[in-house]
Amino acid sequence: MSDSPVAAQKSPPSDLKDMSDLVSLSKRRGFVFPSSEVYGGINACWDYGPLGIELKRNVKESWWRAMTDREDIEGLDAAILMHPKTWEASGHVAGFVDPLVDCKKCKARFRADKIDPAALQAKKCPECGGELTEPRLFNLMFKTFMGPVEEDAAVVYLRPETAQGIYVNFLNVQQSSRQKIPFGIAQIGKAFRNEITPGNFIFRTREFEQMEMQFFVKPGTDMEWFEKWKEVRIQWHLDNGIRKNKLRFHEHGPKELAHYARAAFDIEYEFPFGWQELEGIHNRTDFDLTRHQQYSGKKLEYFEEESKERFVPYIIETSAGCDRSLLVALVDAYRFDGERTWLAFHPKLAPYKVAIFPLMKKPELTEYTDKVFTDVRRRFRATTDSAGSIGKRYRRQDEIGTPFGVTIDYDTLRDHTVTLRHRDSMVQERVPAENLIQVIEERIQNWGK
Ligand code: GAP
């Protein structure tokens, strides 16, 4: 049985075509709001609402479990503010720059490397034809001051990546956890970049979260680990239910490759605005630890007992954007069949796993519903709703991606069975109330199989 007998004959649902549909759904249903909206918003900053924060926690939890359930990875939560020398050593003070040009007439601002080279050569604004300034180098790090005096000596930066907090803690973690190489350190945290061209909703923002893991290996074994991590990381996205045909690898050619990297691949996702980077997997060699040794004067070497060798480890980095993974979860899940909009989240990402409804707002039904709700929410994140027709209530849950709906009706009072309704197929089945949790568990376990 399904909500609508014609549903089965409909043409296949379409994907998200226009980002504005997702932006408005996100605002309306409480996933993502423009930051400081009452003041007109602040460019490229967003706030996560009640459902957005649940989705984000689920994305992080999925990543954290995938990383730290392994014996060879430890967790870390380093400070956002770091010693300013960190950023000299990392190369960010000198090199984390974008070339910027301004139009003298319309005041539009562009990244010089992103506009048509002919327009740049002719110094002609791509928007209004006005004259462009010479390119200026603009550092993307946000600066602030430590302590009460605003002077050069007090300058500190908001970290532009979480990775450096891991590198400078390499020996602290290794020694306190007694890990042997190869092993990794995982961290989730905020990063800040004063992006010149932010945009596409939460795709490129100025404040965002990264989920980074740095894997320390013996030189010579690095390419083998690099290949392993590429496979592990793409599988993580697939395990979150992201469709295979929407993901691909992009290898950095010699021109794209960072000066420190021996090899780099991006995992890209096909957004409505094209294929774009979702995560980077980099072989960073011994660049980072060597530089921190030079700038700090402290040894960051590892002594291998078996071989009696001392070496600076190579690093394989996996660096995923948390907000960007969340955006991919939303974009990939978006479905519209001409009538119904739903988010086909994998249950592990869905903000609510189950919604429980009385068929009507009658005391005998709501009482039973409350009991089922109390039981179910002990096991799953669940919600309940008794306002409006049952069809409308299903639609509201479809739009926020709740995979299972449970309805309590008059048959329930007689035979203690409930209707279990499936979000994607709209198929309904009758399940004994006492088996409900077990049946949902089974459905989740067999998801996609
Ligand atoms: N430690 C390596 C590093 O930071 P990156 O390619 O600059 O590498 C890694 O960033 C990931 O962080 C990107 O693949 C993307 O998912 C996310 N990211 C980077 N800049 C971002 C921004 N301005 N807004 C949102 N996410 C961003």
Side-chain angles (χ1 to χ4, degrees), residues 92 96 160-164 167 193 195 198 202-212 214 260 266-267 277-280 282 284 317 319-325:
H92 282 85
F96 197 48
E161 61 172 13
T162 61
Q164 301 299 326
Y167 304 146
R193 296 183 189 178
E195 300 280 4
I202 53 172
F203 177 79
R204 185 174 292 110
T205 54
R206 296 199 166 111
E207 174 179 345
F208 55 98
E209 276 187 278
Q210 289 185 314
M211 307 185 290
E212 296 198 303
Q214 314 291 327
Y260 53 78
D266 292 337
I267 296 176
E277 174 185 342
L278 166 59
E279 165 160 4
H282 309 131
R284 302 182 63 118
E317 165 178 74
S319 176
C322 174
D323 310 72
R324 214 171 272 183
S325 300

CSV table of all heavy atoms in Angstrom, one decimal, residues 92 96 160-164 167 193 195 198 202-212 214 260 266-267 277-280 282 284 317 319-325, ligand 1:
chain,number,residue,atom,x,y,z
A,92,HIS,N,51.9,29.6,5.5
A,92,HIS,CA,50.7,30.3,5.3
A,92,HIS,C,50.9,31.9,5.3
A,92,HIS,O,50.2,32.6,4.5
A,92,HIS,CB,49.6,30.0,6.3
A,92,HIS,CG,48.9,28.7,6.0
A,92,HIS,ND1,49.4,27.5,6.4
A,92,HIS,CD2,47.8,28.4,5.4
A,92,HIS,CE1,48.6,26.5,6.1
A,92,HIS,NE2,47.6,27.1,5.4
A,96,PHE,N,49.8,31.8,1.6
A,96,PHE,CA,48.4,31.5,1.6
A,96,PHE,C,47.6,32.8,1.0
A,96,PHE,O,46.9,33.5,1.7
A,96,PHE,CB,47.8,31.2,3.0
A,96,PHE,CG,46.5,30.5,3.0
A,96,PHE,CD1,46.2,29.4,2.1
A,96,PHE,CD2,45.5,30.9,3.8
A,96,PHE,CE1,45.0,28.8,2.1
A,96,PHE,CE2,44.3,30.3,3.8
A,96,PHE,CZ,44.0,29.3,3.0
A,160,PRO,N,43.6,28.7,9.5
A,160,PRO,CA,42.9,28.5,8.2
A,160,PRO,C,42.8,27.0,7.9
A,160,PRO,O,42.2,26.7,6.9
A,160,PRO,CB,43.9,29.2,7.2
A,160,PRO,CG,45.3,29.0,7.9
A,160,PRO,CD,45.0,29.1,9.4
A,161,GLU,N,43.4,26.2,8.7
A,161,GLU,CA,43.2,24.7,8.6
A,161,GLU,C,43.5,24.1,10.0
A,161,GLU,O,44.2,24.7,10.8
A,161,GLU,CB,44.1,24.1,7.6
A,161,GLU,CG,45.6,24.3,7.9
A,161,GLU,CD,46.5,23.5,6.9
A,161,GLU,OE1,46.1,23.1,5.9
A,161,GLU,OE2,47.7,23.4,7.3
A,162,THR,N,42.9,22.9,10.2
A,162,THR,CA,43.1,22.3,11.5
A,162,THR,C,44.4,21.5,11.6
A,162,THR,O,44.9,21.2,12.6
A,162,THR,CB,41.9,21.4,11.9
A,162,THR,OG1,41.8,20.4,11.0
A,162,THR,CG2,40.6,22.2,12.0
A,163,ALA,N,44.9,21.2,10.4
A,163,ALA,CA,46.1,20.3,10.3
A,163,ALA,C,47.3,20.7,11.1
A,163,ALA,O,47.9,19.8,11.8
A,163,ALA,CB,46.5,20.2,8.8
A,164,GLN,N,47.6,22.0,11.2
A,164,GLN,CA,48.8,22.4,11.9
A,164,GLN,C,48.7,22.0,13.4
A,164,GLN,O,49.8,21.8,14.0
A,164,GLN,CB,49.1,23.9,11.7
A,164,GLN,CG,49.3,24.3,10.2
A,164,GLN,CD,50.4,23.6,9.5
A,164,GLN,OE1,51.4,23.3,10.1
A,164,GLN,NE2,50.2,23.3,8.2
A,167,TYR,N,50.1,18.6,13.6
A,167,TYR,CA,51.5,18.4,13.4
A,167,TYR,C,52.3,18.8,14.6
A,167,TYR,O,53.2,18.1,15.0
A,167,TYR,CB,52.0,19.3,12.2
A,167,TYR,CG,51.3,19.0,10.9
A,167,TYR,CD1,51.0,20.0,10.0
A,167,TYR,CD2,50.8,17.7,10.6
A,167,TYR,CE1,50.3,19.7,8.8
A,167,TYR,CE2,50.1,17.4,9.5
A,167,TYR,CZ,49.9,18.4,8.5
A,167,TYR,OH,49.2,18.1,7.4
A,193,ARG,N,38.8,31.3,6.8
A,193,ARG,CA,39.5,31.9,5.6
A,193,ARG,C,38.7,33.1,5.1
A,193,ARG,O,37.5,33.0,4.9
A,193,ARG,CB,39.6,30.8,4.5
A,193,ARG,CG,40.4,29.6,4.9
A,193,ARG,CD,40.6,28.6,3.8
A,193,ARG,NE,41.2,27.4,4.3
A,193,ARG,CZ,41.4,26.3,3.7
A,193,ARG,NH1,41.2,26.3,2.4
A,193,ARG,NH2,42.0,25.3,4.2
A,195,GLU,N,37.9,34.3,2.4
A,195,GLU,CA,37.7,34.0,1.0
A,195,GLU,C,37.3,35.2,0.2
A,195,GLU,O,36.5,36.0,0.6
A,195,GLU,CB,36.7,32.9,0.8
A,195,GLU,CG,36.9,31.6,1.5
A,195,GLU,CD,37.9,30.7,0.7
A,195,GLU,OE1,38.4,31.1,-0.3
A,195,GLU,OE2,38.2,29.6,1.2
A,198,PRO,N,33.5,33.8,-1.8
A,198,PRO,CA,32.7,32.8,-1.2
A,198,PRO,C,31.4,32.6,-1.9
A,198,PRO,O,31.1,33.3,-2.9
A,198,PRO,CB,32.4,33.4,0.2
A,198,PRO,CG,32.4,34.8,0.0
A,198,PRO,CD,33.4,35.1,-1.1
A,202,ILE,N,26.5,27.0,1.5
A,202,ILE,CA,27.5,26.7,2.4
A,202,ILE,C,28.7,26.1,1.8
A,202,ILE,O,29.6,25.5,2.5
A,202,ILE,CB,27.0,25.9,3.6
A,202,ILE,CG1,26.3,24.6,3.1
A,202,ILE,CG2,26.0,26.7,4.5
A,202,ILE,CD1,25.9,23.6,4.2
A,203,PHE,N,28.8,26.1,0.5
A,203,PHE,CA,29.9,25.5,-0.2
A,203,PHE,C,31.3,26.1,0.2
A,203,PHE,O,32.2,25.5,0.6
A,203,PHE,CB,29.8,25.5,-1.7
A,203,PHE,CG,30.9,24.9,-2.5
A,203,PHE,CD1,31.0,23.5,-2.5
A,203,PHE,CD2,31.9,25.6,-3.0
A,203,PHE,CE1,32.1,22.9,-3.2
A,203,PHE,CE2,33.0,25.1,-3.7
A,203,PHE,CZ,33.1,23.7,-3.7
A,204,ARG,N,31.3,27.4,0.0
A,204,ARG,CA,32.6,28.1,0.3
A,204,ARG,C,32.2,29.3,1.3
A,204,ARG,O,31.6,30.2,0.9
A,204,ARG,CB,33.3,28.6,-0.9
A,204,ARG,CG,34.7,29.3,-0.5
A,204,ARG,CD,35.5,29.7,-1.7
A,204,ARG,NE,36.0,28.5,-2.4
A,204,ARG,CZ,35.6,28.2,-3.6
A,204,ARG,NH1,34.8,28.9,-4.3
A,204,ARG,NH2,36.1,27.1,-4.2
A,205,THR,N,32.6,29.2,2.5
A,205,THR,CA,32.2,30.2,3.5
A,205,THR,C,33.5,30.7,4.2
A,205,THR,O,34.6,30.2,3.9
A,205,THR,CB,31.3,29.5,4.6
A,205,THR,OG1,32.0,28.4,5.1
A,205,THR,CG2,30.0,29.1,4.0
A,206,ARG,N,33.4,31.7,5.0
A,206,ARG,CA,34.6,32.2,5.7
A,206,ARG,C,34.8,31.6,7.0
A,206,ARG,O,36.0,31.6,7.5
A,206,ARG,CB,34.4,33.7,5.8
A,206,ARG,CG,34.3,34.4,4.5
A,206,ARG,CD,34.6,35.9,4.5
A,206,ARG,NE,34.9,36.4,3.2
A,206,ARG,CZ,34.1,37.2,2.5
A,206,ARG,NH1,33.0,37.7,3.1
A,206,ARG,NH2,34.4,37.6,1.3
A,207,GLU,N,33.8,31.0,7.6
A,207,GLU,CA,34.0,30.2,8.8
A,207,GLU,C,33.4,28.8,8.5
A,207,GLU,O,32.3,28.7,8.1
A,207,GLU,CB,33.2,30.9,10.0
A,207,GLU,CG,33.2,30.1,11.2
A,207,GLU,CD,32.5,30.8,12.4
A,207,GLU,OE1,32.2,32.0,12.3
A,207,GLU,OE2,32.2,30.1,13.4
A,208,PHE,N,34.2,27.8,8.8
A,208,PHE,CA,33.7,26.4,8.4
A,208,PHE,C,34.4,25.4,9.3
A,208,PHE,O,35.3,25.8,10.1
A,208,PHE,CB,33.9,26.1,6.9
A,208,PHE,CG,35.4,26.3,6.5
A,208,PHE,CD1,36.2,25.2,6.4
A,208,PHE,CD2,35.9,27.5,6.2
A,208,PHE,CE1,37.5,25.3,6.0
A,208,PHE,CE2,37.2,27.7,5.7
A,208,PHE,CZ,38.0,26.6,5.6
A,209,GLU,N,33.9,24.2,9.2
A,209,GLU,CA,34.6,23.1,10.0
A,209,GLU,C,35.3,22.1,9.1
A,209,GLU,O,34.7,21.8,8.0
A,209,GLU,CB,33.6,22.4,10.9
A,209,GLU,CG,33.3,23.1,12.2
A,209,GLU,CD,32.4,22.4,13.1
A,209,GLU,OE1,31.2,22.4,12.9
A,209,GLU,OE2,32.9,21.7,14.0
A,210,GLN,N,36.4,21.7,9.5
A,210,GLN,CA,37.1,20.6,8.8
A,210,GLN,C,37.1,19.3,9.6
A,210,GLN,O,37.1,19.4,10.8
A,210,GLN,CB,38.6,21.1,8.5
A,210,GLN,CG,38.6,22.2,7.5
A,210,GLN,CD,40.1,22.5,7.1
A,210,GLN,OE1,40.9,22.6,8.0
A,210,GLN,NE2,40.4,22.6,5.8
A,211,MET,N,37.2,18.2,8.9
A,211,MET,CA,37.4,16.9,9.5
A,211,MET,C,38.7,16.4,8.9
A,211,MET,O,38.7,16.0,7.8
A,211,MET,CB,36.3,16.0,9.2
A,211,MET,CG,34.9,16.6,9.6
A,211,MET,SD,33.5,15.6,9.4
A,211,MET,CE,33.4,15.4,7.6
A,212,GLU,N,39.8,16.5,9.7
A,212,GLU,CA,41.1,16.2,9.1
A,212,GLU,C,41.8,15.1,9.9
A,212,GLU,O,41.7,15.0,11.1
A,212,GLU,CB,42.0,17.4,9.1
A,212,GLU,CG,41.5,18.5,8.2
A,212,GLU,CD,42.6,19.6,7.8
A,212,GLU,OE1,43.2,20.2,8.8
A,212,GLU,OE2,42.8,19.8,6.6
A,214,GLN,N,45.6,13.1,9.9
A,214,GLN,CA,47.0,13.1,9.4
A,214,GLN,C,47.6,11.7,9.8
A,214,GLN,O,47.6,11.4,11.0
A,214,GLN,CB,47.8,14.2,10.0
A,214,GLN,CG,47.1,15.6,10.0
A,214,GLN,CD,46.9,16.2,8.6
A,214,GLN,OE1,47.8,16.0,7.8
A,214,GLN,NE2,45.8,16.9,8.4
A,260,TYR,N,54.8,21.2,-1.5
A,260,TYR,CA,55.2,20.2,-0.5
A,260,TYR,C,54.7,18.8,-0.9
A,260,TYR,O,55.1,17.8,-0.3
A,260,TYR,CB,54.8,20.6,0.9
A,260,TYR,CG,53.3,20.8,1.0
A,260,TYR,CD1,52.4,19.8,1.0
A,260,TYR,CD2,52.8,22.2,1.0
A,260,TYR,CE1,51.0,20.1,1.1
A,260,TYR,CE2,51.5,22.4,1.1
A,260,TYR,CZ,50.6,21.4,1.1
A,260,TYR,OH,49.2,21.6,1.2
A,266,ASP,N,41.7,14.9,-5.3
A,266,ASP,CA,40.5,15.4,-4.6
A,266,ASP,C,39.4,14.4,-4.9
A,266,ASP,O,39.3,13.8,-5.9
A,266,ASP,CB,40.0,16.7,-5.3
A,266,ASP,CG,41.0,17.9,-5.0
A,266,ASP,OD1,41.7,17.8,-4.0
A,266,ASP,OD2,41.0,18.8,-5.8
A,267,ILE,N,38.5,14.3,-3.9
A,267,ILE,CA,37.2,13.6,-4.1
A,267,ILE,C,36.3,14.7,-4.5
A,267,ILE,O,36.1,15.7,-3.8
A,267,ILE,CB,36.7,12.8,-2.9
A,267,ILE,CG1,37.7,11.7,-2.5
A,267,ILE,CG2,35.3,12.3,-3.1
A,267,ILE,CD1,37.4,10.9,-1.3
A,277,GLU,N,35.4,20.2,-5.5
A,277,GLU,CA,36.1,19.4,-4.5
A,277,GLU,C,35.3,19.3,-3.2
A,277,GLU,O,34.7,20.2,-2.7
A,277,GLU,CB,37.4,20.2,-4.1
A,277,GLU,CG,38.1,19.6,-2.9
A,277,GLU,CD,39.4,20.4,-2.5
A,277,GLU,OE1,39.8,21.3,-3.3
A,277,GLU,OE2,39.8,20.3,-1.4
A,278,LEU,N,35.3,18.1,-2.7
A,278,LEU,CA,34.7,17.8,-1.4
A,278,LEU,C,35.7,17.4,-0.3
A,278,LEU,O,35.5,17.8,0.8
A,278,LEU,CB,33.7,16.6,-1.7
A,278,LEU,CG,33.1,15.8,-0.5
A,278,LEU,CD1,32.3,16.7,0.4
A,278,LEU,CD2,32.2,14.7,-1.0
A,279,GLU,N,36.7,16.8,-0.7
A,279,GLU,CA,37.8,16.3,0.2
A,279,GLU,C,39.1,16.2,-0.5
A,279,GLU,O,39.1,15.9,-1.7
A,279,GLU,CB,37.3,15.0,0.8
A,279,GLU,CG,38.5,14.2,1.5
A,279,GLU,CD,38.0,13.1,2.4
A,279,GLU,OE1,36.8,12.9,2.5
A,279,GLU,OE2,38.8,12.6,3.1
A,280,GLY,N,40.2,16.4,0.2
A,280,GLY,CA,41.5,16.3,-0.4
A,280,GLY,C,42.3,15.2,0.3
A,280,GLY,O,42.2,15.0,1.5
A,282,HIS,N,46.2,14.0,0.5
A,282,HIS,CA,47.5,14.5,0.0
A,282,HIS,C,48.6,13.7,0.6
A,282,HIS,O,48.6,13.3,1.8
A,282,HIS,CB,47.7,15.9,0.5
A,282,HIS,CG,46.5,16.8,0.2
A,282,HIS,ND1,45.9,17.6,1.1
A,282,HIS,CD2,45.8,17.0,-1.0
A,282,HIS,CE1,44.9,18.3,0.5
A,282,HIS,NE2,44.9,17.9,-0.8
A,284,ARG,N,51.9,14.6,1.9
A,284,ARG,CA,52.6,15.8,2.2
A,284,ARG,C,54.1,15.7,2.5
A,284,ARG,O,54.7,16.6,3.0
A,284,ARG,CB,51.9,16.5,3.4
A,284,ARG,CG,50.4,16.8,3.2
A,284,ARG,CD,49.8,17.5,4.4
A,284,ARG,NE,50.4,18.8,4.6
A,284,ARG,CZ,49.7,20.0,4.6
A,284,ARG,NH1,48.4,20.0,4.3
A,284,ARG,NH2,50.3,21.1,4.8
A,317,GLU,N,47.6,12.9,4.4
A,317,GLU,CA,46.5,13.7,5.0
A,317,GLU,C,45.2,13.4,4.2
A,317,GLU,O,45.1,13.4,3.0
A,317,GLU,CB,46.8,15.2,4.8
A,317,GLU,CG,45.6,16.1,5.0
A,317,GLU,CD,45.9,17.6,4.9
A,317,GLU,OE1,46.1,18.1,3.7
A,317,GLU,OE2,46.0,18.3,5.9
A,319,SER,N,41.6,15.4,4.2
A,319,SER,CA,41.0,16.6,4.7
A,319,SER,C,39.6,16.9,4.1
A,319,SER,O,39.5,17.2,2.9
A,319,SER,CB,41.9,17.8,4.3
A,319,SER,OG,41.4,19.0,4.7
A,320,ALA,N,38.6,16.7,4.9
A,320,ALA,CA,37.2,16.8,4.4
A,320,ALA,C,36.6,18.1,5.0
A,320,ALA,O,36.8,18.3,6.2
A,320,ALA,CB,36.4,15.6,4.7
A,321,GLY,N,35.8,18.8,4.3
A,321,GLY,CA,35.0,19.9,4.8
A,321,GLY,C,33.8,19.3,5.5
A,321,GLY,O,33.1,18.4,4.9
A,322,CYS,N,33.5,19.7,6.7
A,322,CYS,CA,32.3,19.1,7.4
A,322,CYS,C,31.0,19.8,6.8
A,322,CYS,O,30.1,19.1,6.5
A,322,CYS,CB,32.4,19.5,8.9
A,322,CYS,SG,31.0,19.0,9.8
A,323,ASP,N,31.1,21.1,6.7
A,323,ASP,CA,29.9,21.8,6.1
A,323,ASP,C,29.7,21.4,4.6
A,323,ASP,O,28.6,21.2,4.2
A,323,ASP,CB,30.2,23.3,6.1
A,323,ASP,CG,30.6,23.8,7.5
A,323,ASP,OD1,31.8,23.5,7.8
A,323,ASP,OD2,29.8,24.4,8.2
A,324,ARG,N,30.8,21.1,4.0
A,324,ARG,CA,30.7,20.7,2.6
A,324,ARG,C,30.1,19.3,2.5
A,324,ARG,O,29.4,19.0,1.6
A,324,ARG,CB,32.0,20.8,1.9
A,324,ARG,CG,31.9,21.2,0.4
A,324,ARG,CD,33.2,21.5,-0.2
A,324,ARG,NE,33.6,22.9,-0.1
A,324,ARG,CZ,34.7,23.4,-0.7
A,324,ARG,NH1,35.4,22.6,-1.4
A,324,ARG,NH2,34.9,24.7,-0.5
A,325,SER,N,30.5,18.4,3.4
A,325,SER,CA,29.9,17.0,3.4
A,325,SER,C,28.5,17.1,3.7
A,325,SER,O,27.7,16.4,3.2
A,325,SER,CB,30.6,16.2,4.5
A,325,SER,OG,32.0,16.1,4.2
B,1,GAP,N1,44.8,20.8,5.4
B,1,GAP,C1,44.5,20.8,4.0
B,1,GAP,C2,43.5,21.7,3.6
B,1,GAP,O1,43.0,22.5,4.4
B,1,GAP,P1,42.0,22.4,1.6
B,1,GAP,O2,41.8,21.7,0.3
B,1,GAP,O3,42.4,23.8,1.6
B,1,GAP,O4,43.1,21.5,2.4
B,1,GAP,C3,40.2,20.9,2.8
B,1,GAP,O5,40.7,22.2,2.5
B,1,GAP,C4,38.7,20.8,2.7
B,1,GAP,O6,38.2,21.8,3.5
B,1,GAP,C5,38.1,21.1,1.3
B,1,GAP,O7,38.1,19.9,0.5
B,1,GAP,C6,36.7,21.6,1.6
B,1,GAP,O8,35.9,20.5,1.8
B,1,GAP,C7,36.9,22.3,3.0
B,1,GAP,N2,37.0,23.8,2.8
B,1,GAP,C8,38.1,24.5,2.4
B,1,GAP,N3,37.9,25.8,2.3
B,1,GAP,C9,36.5,25.9,2.6
B,1,GAP,C10,35.7,27.0,2.7
B,1,GAP,N4,36.1,28.3,2.5
B,1,GAP,N5,34.4,26.8,3.0
B,1,GAP,C11,33.9,25.5,3.3
B,1,GAP,N6,34.7,24.4,3.2
B,1,GAP,C12,36.0,24.6,2.9
